[in-house]
């Protein structure tokens, strides 16, 4: 199965992807996680990406399209994959369509997780992320068993640089202007599955399973 998880920052894409990937046996491909990894390694691409990310802007299309194109060639994607945070512009969606066409693949579902702005800001401002496995936590809504430590891998939890108030606001504006048009794009192609992202992590998970079954 080839899936896209679409939705504003903080909607729960990463949270749900971590569960779905275990359940469906297909890898999560998060361009955000891959870019943060490049930043951490200090690669030239990471250094270039960091300024865009910290400002809440999008990294140039050609950079992320290149990352995804390379990633979906990997053997673990042979049975399908789940894109989290890609595509984010119409140009990226068109590039993805071309990429899949070339491989004789198609998309099965585009799951759009929806939540209102007030909820998104609450979720992002209390988020903590594992440095090692990138799992997202929340100080109130989804706390780890031991403060500051990842339940899954024991890694250290930190606050992402773009989870500060100013960057959060900028990311929400970027989403509305550049990514939200993809909702209509995929609706026209009959692929869009809207999912209410409010409620517990478990409730949202059940809705997604329903939407893709
Ligand atoms: P990226 O890492 O993709 O960030 P994002 O889209 O802003 O999304 P988030 O990761 O912030 O939110 P999420 O939906 O994954 O929510 P989560 O599950 O963590 O991108 C970062 C940056 O990289 C971009 O700004 C851009 O610069 C660049 N980039 C990445 N991809 C790009 C692309 N394709 N093109 C160009 N640039 C790109 O949950 C959020 C919080 O809520 C957590 O604390 C979680 O515990 C909590 N939570 C989750 N579900 C619930 C629930 N049901 N109830 C209560 N709390 C919940
Ligand atoms: Mg995420
Ligand atoms: Zn971890």
């Amino acid at each position: 199965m080839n899936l896209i998880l679409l939705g504003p920052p903080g909607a729960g894409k990463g949270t749900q992807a971590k569960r779905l990937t275990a359940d469906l046996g297909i890898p999560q491909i998060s361009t955000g996680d891959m870019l943060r990894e490049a930043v951490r390694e200090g690669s030239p691409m990471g250094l270039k990406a960091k300024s865009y990310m910290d400002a809440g802007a999008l990294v140039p299309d050609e950079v992320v399209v290149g990352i995804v194109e390379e990633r979906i060639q990997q053997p673990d994607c042979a049975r399908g994959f789940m894109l989290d945070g890609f595509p984010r512009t119409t140009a990226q969606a068109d590039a993805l369509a071309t990429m899949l066409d070339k491989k004789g693949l198609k998309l099965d579902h585009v799951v759009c997780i929806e939540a209102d702005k007030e909820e998104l800001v609450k979720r992002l401002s209390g988020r903590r992320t594992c440095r090692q496995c990138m799992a997202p936590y929340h100080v109130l809504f989804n706390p780890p068993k031991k403060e500051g430590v990842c339940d899954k891998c024991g890694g250290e939890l930190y606050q992402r640089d773009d989870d500060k108030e100013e960057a959060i606001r900028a990311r929400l504006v970027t989403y509305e202007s550049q990514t939200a048009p993809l909702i209509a794009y995929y609706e026209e192609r009959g692929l869009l599955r809207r999912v209410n992202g409010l409620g517990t992590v478990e409730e949202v998970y059940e809705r997604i399973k329903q939407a893709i079954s």
Side-chain angles (χ1 to χ4, degrees):
M1 191 183 310
N2 300 320
L3 290 180
I4 292 176
L5 295 182
L6 187 65
K13 302 181 295 293
T15 301
Q16 298 297 337
K18 292 267 182 262
R19 298 188 153 216
L20 285 165
T21 187
D23 218 15
L24 301 174
I26 55 175
Q28 169 198 13
I29 302 180
S30 162
T31 42
D33 286 352
M34 290 158 92
L35 290 167
R36 279 183 290 280
E37 185 68 37
V39 171
R40 186 168 67 177
E41 285 169 355
S43 72
M45 191 248 284
L47 293 177
K48 188 175 170 205
K50 188 169 171 34
S51 56
Y52 295 100
M53 295 171 80
D54 288 354
L58 294 182
V59 173
D61 288 334
E62 59 277 15
V63 175
V64 280
V65 167
I67 294 179
V68 171
E69 187 148 33
E70 203 178 298
R71 181 65 184 85
I72 64 171
Q73 313 288 343
Q74 303 301 311
D76 63 336
C77 292
R79 294 179 46 229
F81 47 79
M82 187 179 353
L83 294 166
D84 159 10
F86 179 93
R88 260 174 145 97
T89 61
T90 309
Q92 291 179 21
D94 287 339
L96 175 65
T98 307
M99 242 184 258
L100 295 180
D101 259 356
K102 268 198 270 174
K103 292 171 71 76
L105 298 173
K106 61 177 189 50
L107 290 169
D108 296 289
H109 308 281
V110 177
V111 176
C112 181
I113 309 179
E114 301 177 315
D116 56 89
K117 206 165 164 181
E118 202 186 325
E119 177 73 14
L120 299 172
V121 172
K122 271 195 243 166
R123 288 185 184 180
L124 293 171
S125 44
R127 174 165 58 188
R128 296 294 180 271
T129 304
C130 175
R131 270 194 207 283
Q132 225 160 274
C133 75
M134 319 255 176
Y137 292 85
H138 191 282
V139 290
L140 301 175
F141 308 145
N142 183 21
K145 293 197 181 82
K146 185 168 175 237
E147 202 190 316
V149 181
C150 177
D151 294 345
K152 298 184 182 77
C153 77
E156 181 205 354
L157 304 186
Y158 79 110
Q159 184 173 35
R160 271 170 48 177
D161 287 339
D162 63 350
D163 280 345
K164 313 265 155 79
E165 199 180 325
E166 209 177 316
I168 291 174
R169 305 240 165 251
R171 285 156 64 202
L172 291 169
V173 171
T174 301
Y175 175 80
E176 281 310 323
S177 61
Q178 303 198 57
T179 307
L182 292 181
I183 296 173
Y185 180 104
Y186 286 118
E187 198 150 43
E188 280 163 23
R189 288 159 179 78
L191 291 168
L192 194 78
R193 321 284 177 248
R194 289 176 189 271
V195 168
N196 175 4
L198 300 180
T200 64
V201 170
E202 198 55 48
E203 282 164 350
V204 177
Y205 184 68
E206 288 307 321
R207 289 181 201 135
I208 295 176
K209 294 277 290 197
Q210 195 79 39
I212 63 174
S213 67

